[in-house]
Amino acid sequence: MFYHDRRLQYKVRVDKPNPAFARMLQQAIGGVEGEIRVCLQYLFQAWGNRGPVKYKNMLLETGTEEIGHIEMLATAVALNLEGATNSLKDEIVGQNPLVGAIMGGMDPRQYLSAGLAATAADSNGVPFNGSWVVATGNIASDMVANVHAESSGRVLATRLWESTDDPGMKDMLAFLIARDAMHQNQWLAVIEELGGFKQQFPIPNSFPQSEEVQGFNYSFVTTNIYKDQESYGRWAEGPSIDGKGTFQMVPGEPMGDIPILPPPAPEGYAQKEQMTGAAGGLMDKIKDAL
């Protein structure tokens, strides 16, 4: 069960409506880096969580907080569209040619479909895509995904902060940036509490590494035809991050055969010319060449 407080989690103030910025804020709502994504990601991770209940409860707490962030951003979009007359839109675009060229003003659907309000879409008007939600049932894997989600979200929020000179919008975004900072640390703290990188990695740690093909689990494969050291770094030498192996750089080389598929199945209705032993003839040529 979820409860709602009619007051916003943090104040949202717009000193001067800006329809172009309202469109940009849509990315923080329905984009791949946005709040709908992290909200659903944390909630689905919680609803499917098996194991210590404190992780489920923590995810529920944070996923619910993210609903409040969607509410804040939707309010900010509506306030930026408030009183957005054609003359105001022309003035904004005229003052900032870059915004005018890139954004082209407000998203028409904010008016046509939502009556000067936010939509569950990104800054290009593309609806939110649920396939972005990561909930694997493996807590370490989910925490890594969550760190990335909060990192990309914080990058977006900082770019939005840089894109506005509205004091109210800067203040709201600074709050969201702060929460992203906390959440990055929060998810990393879970990994640390579970035992840190050396205990949790490689993920899943429940699979026996003895079953891996040995010699490849800590080798950086270079496919650089020049065979130089341009991609050489920490990942190519020394102890691995999980402490279970030693990094090395090895040249990439084929260890399998040339893939040869059988002739097309008749029920697949390929062309007749494809069904006349082409695969066999190719195999004979390969054998002759070898």
Side-chain angles (χ1 to χ4, degrees):
M1 183 179 292
F2 294 86
Y3 296 92
H4 178 246
D5 191 316
R6 288 174 292 180
R7 296 166 295 180
L8 294 172
Q9 184 185 9
Y10 190 78
K11 57 185 179 292
V12 176
R13 186 184 85 250
V14 174
D15 294 333
K16 184 177 181 180
N18 183 336
F21 194 64
R23 181 175 179 177
M24 295 174 74
L25 285 173
Q26 283 289 159
Q27 192 67 20
I29 296 176
V32 67
E33 316 93 337
E35 301 289 351
I36 294 179
R37 185 263 181 96
V38 292
C39 171
L40 292 179
Q41 183 155 305
Y42 305 157
L43 290 178
F44 272 96
Q45 288 177 8
W47 293 329
N49 181 265
R50 300 173 188 272
V53 71
K54 66 179 179 179
Y55 299 121
K56 177 187 182 76
N57 291 337
M58 177 201 61
L59 285 161
L60 283 171
E61 297 270 13
T62 307
T64 304
E65 179 189 357
E66 301 293 2
I67 300 175
H69 294 174
I70 301 170
E71 183 181 27
M72 289 169 56
L73 287 162
T75 302
V77 167
L79 291 176
N80 272 288
L81 293 172
E82 186 69 23
T85 62
N86 287 330
S87 60
L88 176 59
K89 285 179 264 185
D90 292 341
E91 178 186 348
I92 291 169
V93 172
Q95 291 175 351
N96 192 330
L98 180 62
V99 171
I102 296 176
M103 302 309 300
M106 64 183 286
D107 181 354
R109 288 193 62 244
Q110 290 173 331
Y111 167 64
L112 296 173
S113 301
L116 296 181
T119 63
D122 67 13
S123 57
N124 287 323
V126 179
F128 173 75
N129 188 332
S131 67
W132 299 332
V133 172
V134 177
T136 68
N138 179 296
I139 190 155
S141 176
D142 285 349
M143 292 304 108
V144 173
N146 293 352
V147 171
H148 171 263
E150 292 289 344
S151 301
S152 59
R154 195 169 190 267
V155 169
L156 172 63
T158 57
R159 289 171 178 168
L160 288 168
W161 185 92
E162 188 66 34
S163 300
T164 181
D165 59 2
D166 187 292
M169 287 292 88
K170 277 192 175 293
D171 184 49
M172 179 198 75
L173 289 163
F175 171 79
L176 294 175
I177 291 167
R179 296 309 296 153
D180 289 340
M182 168 57 196
H183 292 155
Q184 288 182 40
N185 282 277
Q186 178 179 328
W187 307 132
L188 288 170
V190 175
I191 293 176
E192 181 183 87
E193 184 176 83
L194 291 169
F197 290 163
K198 290 190 175 182
Q199 187 164 321
Q200 292 304 298
F201 286 75
I203 299 169
N205 63 2
S206 54
F207 183 84
Q209 285 201 270
S210 60
E211 295 295 326
E212 298 174 357
V213 176
Q214 301 302 302
F216 293 92
N217 37 14
Y218 295 101
S219 297
F220 175 78
V221 176
T222 174
T223 54
N224 182 355
I225 62 172
Y226 299 106
K227 308 299 182 186
D228 55 28
Q229 299 293 305
E230 289 296 317
S231 58
Y232 190 86
R234 170 66 180 87
W235 51 88
E237 183 181 38
S240 61
I241 303 303
D242 61 15
K244 300 179 176 68
T246 301
F247 289 137
Q248 61 176 334
M249 178 181 280
V250 299
E253 55 184 358
M255 293 179 292
D257 298 322
I258 297 174
I260 302 296
L261 299 180
E267 61 270 21
Y269 289 98
Q271 292 299 92
K272 291 183 293 184
E273 290 78 6
Q274 293 177 257
M275 302 182 187
T276 56
L282 178 59
M283 181 65 80
D284 292 338
K285 290 179 182 179
I286 293 171
K287 289 180 179 178
D288 292 341
L290 296 176

